Amino acid sequence: MSVVVDDALRCESIDKAFPGVQALAGVSVTVRRGSVHALLGENGAGKSTLIKIMTGAERPDRGRVLIGGRPLRQHTPSAARRLGIRVVHQERQIAGDLSVAHNVLLDSLPRNRLGLVSTRGLITAAQRQLDALGVEIDARARAGALPPAAQQLVELARAVSLRAAVVVLDEPTASLAGDEVRTLFRVIRELRAAGTSLVYISHHLHEVFEVADTATVLRNGRQVLDVAVADTDSDDLLRAMFGREVTHARLPRIERPRPDEPALVARGVSLRGALAPTDVTVRRGEVVALCGPAGSGASELAEILAGVVAADSGSVTAGHAGPVGSRSRAARRGIGVVPADRKRDGLLLDRSVIENLSLGTGHGLSRWIHRPAEARRAAIGALAKGKVRVASPSAPVRLLSGGNQQRVIISRWLLAGCRVLVLDQPTAGVDVAAKFDIYAQLLELAADGLAVVVVSSDYEEICGLADRVLVMRGGGVVATVEGALATPDSLYELETGIRAEENRV
Ligand SMILES: Nc1ncnc2c1ncn2[C@@H]1O[C@H](COP(=O)(O)OP(=O)(O)OP(=O)(O)O)[C@@H](O)[C@H]1O
Ligand SMILES: [Mg+2]
């Protein structure tokens, strides 16, 4: 039998079960040379599990993987790498204590004639990789100090740093801003033109239409659709993903009282090198969006508002409740936070789903400390409301799919009964149906008086949620826009200073 050279990657009849779930059942996927194959499906559908099997991180119960026609016999990441596959996983895989350069060249450290790693060679080579990606990241920086979006770009530079036959990207755009996504797409197109094949996971269907040639939809671990992207539309894909009609129209505006008394007031807060002195007031019942890419100061401002980071100057007060200085004081004042890097800052990965749900501010939950049964009931109610898919609420959070982990952290704060909620990229990695559930829950709570601050690079999300948008660039607010008047194009133009049409592809 001859080898079919056009197939860069084949997965044949893959089964994979975990305790309590059949993650994959009889899945077969073929990716042709020089093409982009999208893998779609709701949270928990089995996408990351399939990626882990393709790239040797998990062993299938049945079936086999062929890379460039050669079977993957040993199911280890290094065996898969030897066959030419590279991956950027959904969870960041960054050696935080090492330099960016070490992280970029982790799999191919340049050695001198004595076999030693030459630091200068390392930095030069890594910087070249980063520059080729068009990203402004210093190869000498400590990788752990970078924000999540930059870490993701470092991993991307690593994945494309060798002449890989197949590059697999599991939700690469989840924490990237508009211009970073554009950069990524340019790189994907260049790789494809050079004959590399890509497997691409995203919950943003418009991205699939922009970069993918073919797509597979998984639902409950089964393959429900294989199509050429040119032959389908988003309604078809959504129907296959969810097994029902999902509307993705604009959110209905829930009638809310006019925002009234201030819930959170920042005066002249600044952070050296990141944020110029800034004033913000967020009122009860108001949703304020901070819109800006990494480096704009939006995440830093949110961290100051939530007491995660202490400002170098200025003050934050929680309405009549008093000053916010530290995270613990902010929590006592009823300020909840969904941080950008939730694996690090938000979740106790080895603790159960229930325990993670009960970690909210003392505000709503302290009364449950001595009433575990009641706490459990409340948590189970929140799981149902947040539609978190989990085999058992006692399972460690680590075993949940990425989107379901995100739902846990959001549900925790929706349950906690806080007065102010600060969320950084709240729906990163959440599937489109669940996204709208989260928006609806947030708007309902705002109607009850919750003040919401949301950092987002998803313009649709901002336009759907915000009463007021603060557009940030270079460490300061450059424009304030009424939510009702904001459009994705206008936000993009304000954020980047580039006209939207000029940048369409
Ligand atoms: N190591 C594990 N142990 C137990 N269950 C697991 C493990 N890894 C994944 N699962 C379960 O397998 C199912 C599929 O998970 P997977 O991570 O592949 O979903 P996904 O499609 O990537 O979802 P998302 O869009 O949320 O990232 C989920 O029910 C998940 O909880
Ligand atoms: Mg996943």
Side-chain angles (χ1 to χ4, degrees):
M1 205 175 76
S2 67
V3 176
V4 186
V5 286
D6 264 358
D7 293 346
L9 174 70
R10 283 172 77 92
C11 297
E12 297 178 345
S13 311
I14 305 284
D15 285 357
K16 178 76 184 178
F18 294 113
V21 314
Q22 184 70 39
L24 295 170
V27 174
S28 298
V29 171
T30 300
V31 185
R32 293 171 59 87
R33 239 175 75 80
S35 76
V36 180
H37 188 81
L39 205 51
L40 304 172
E42 64 184 322
N43 293 137
K47 305 178 296 297
S48 294
T49 304
L50 184 58
I51 294 296
K52 286 176 186 162
I53 288 170
M54 287 174 180
T55 58
E58 292 272 9
R59 170 184 297 277
D61 299 336
R62 190 175 72 98
R64 60 175 194 158
V65 175
L66 295 107
I67 301 167
R70 288 181 296 164
L72 181 61
R73 291 185 210 284
Q74 264 180 306
H75 289 275
T76 62
S78 58
R81 249 195 324 268
R82 278 197 297 278
L83 294 182
I85 199 162
R86 297 286 175 278
V87 57
V88 179
H89 282 293
Q90 192 168 10
E91 305 81 28
R92 297 282 61 78
Q93 302 200 332
I94 286 282
D97 291 336
L98 296 182
S99 70
V100 165
H102 277 94
N103 274 281
V104 169
L105 297 175
L106 210 53
D107 303 323
S108 55
L109 292 174
R111 294 181 190 276
N112 63 19
R113 271 177 302 166
L114 300 174
L116 301 172
V117 174
S118 128
T119 307
R120 194 183 313 155
L122 178 73
I123 298 210
T124 317
Q127 194 67 59
R128 204 177 306 129
Q129 279 302 134
L130 291 161
D131 293 348
L133 276 182
V135 297
E136 284 176 31
I137 297 174
D138 185 348
R140 290 165 303 182
R142 195 174 66 81
L146 299 178
Q151 292 187 352
Q152 197 158 16
L153 293 167
V154 168
E155 284 200 61
L156 190 70
R158 181 197 303 154
V160 299
S161 70
L162 288 169
R163 302 189 69 78
V166 182
V167 173
V168 179
L169 304 172
D170 194 347
E171 295 192 30
T173 57
S175 58
L176 300 187
D179 50 344
E180 293 160 338
V181 174
R182 264 159 246 272
T183 302
L184 173 65
F185 286 179
R186 177 177 54 70
V187 172
I188 288 179
R189 291 201 183 90
E190 285 168 11
L191 286 171
R192 172 171 59 187
T196 305
S197 306
L198 294 106
V199 178
Y200 187 87
I201 296 185
S202 176
H203 290 292
H204 300 288
L205 289 184
H206 63 93
E207 296 177 358
V208 171
F209 287 101
E210 216 171 296
V211 292
D213 303 298
T214 47
T216 295
V217 178
L218 298 178
R219 188 164 82 232
N220 287 328
R222 291 175 193 278
Q223 191 167 359
V224 291
L225 184 68
D226 277 285
V227 280
V229 169
D231 298 339
T232 188
D233 59 28
S234 54
D235 287 335
D236 273 347
L237 294 178
L238 287 168
R239 217 173 292 126
M241 286 165 70
F242 297 98
R244 58 186 162 90
E245 296 292 328
V246 175
T247 49
H248 48 120
R250 276 181 81 106
L251 269 175
R253 288 229 154 229
I254 296 182
E255 266 316 305
R256 288 189 274 144
R258 293 291 307 166
D260 55 11
E261 57 190 273
L264 196 62
V265 180
R267 285 286 164 264
V269 290
S270 71
L271 203 60
R272 204 164 305 118
L275 184 69
T278 302
D279 295 340
V280 190
T281 300
V282 190
R283 295 168 189 286
R284 273 173 46 84
E286 186 182 33
V287 182
V288 172
L290 307 179
C291 166
S296 66
S299 287
E300 289 81 0
L301 178 55
E303 288 185 326
I304 290 171
L305 292 174
V308 173
V309 162
D312 290 328
S313 71
S315 66
V316 183
T317 44
H320 304 302
V324 171
S326 62
R327 185 56 212 136
S328 59
R329 203 189 281 170
R332 282 200 303 279
R333 309 259 189 262
I335 303 174
V337 60
V338 176
D341 190 351
R342 40 214 145 246
K343 297 276 168 61
R344 202 186 63 203
D345 306 326
L347 292 167
L348 297 178
L349 290 173
D350 291 318
R351 296 301 189 88
S352 73
V353 173
I354 291 267
E355 283 173 289
N356 272 279
L357 276 169
S358 313
L359 288 172
T361 67
H363 198 59
L365 282 167
S366 58
R367 65 179 192 275
W368 285 330
I369 285 179
H370 303 294
R371 298 190 209 163
E374 200 183 314
R376 194 181 162 82
R377 239 189 337 271
I380 288 174
L383 286 181
K385 193 159 189 201
K387 298 184 184 146
V388 177
R389 278 172 52 147
V390 51
S392 151
S394 315
V397 145
R398 182 186 295 289
L399 303 185
L400 267 57
S401 78
N404 280 296
Q405 292 182 353
Q406 177 67 356
R407 293 184 202 193
V408 167
I409 196 164
I410 300 246
S411 298
R412 169 204 296 166
W413 293 110
L414 297 177
L415 174 70
C418 11
R419 279 193 278 261
V420 178
L421 198 47
V422 179
L423 314 108
D424 198 338
Q425 310 291 355
T427 60
V430 171
D431 70 46
V432 283
K435 228 181 209 181
F436 281 85
D437 289 342
I438 290 172
Y439 298 157
Q441 279 182 283
L442 278 174
L443 291 174
E444 251 172 59
L445 289 168
D448 272 349
L450 179 73
V452 180
V453 177
V454 52
V455 179
S456 180
S457 46
D458 182 336
Y459 300 133
E460 303 281 346
E461 171 167 299
I462 292 175
C463 295
L465 283 178
D467 298 304
R468 197 151 47 94
V469 186
L470 308 185
V471 182
M472 300 192 60
R473 206 186 331 159
V477 176
V478 293
T480 302
V481 187
E482 277 285 316
L485 302 178
T487 62
D489 279 355
S490 68
L491 293 180
Y492 175 73
E493 291 177 16
L494 287 168
E495 190 185 287
T496 57
I498 303 172
R499 285 179 62 89
E501 310 77 275
E502 287 167 17
N503 217 354
R504 286 259 161 66
V505 265

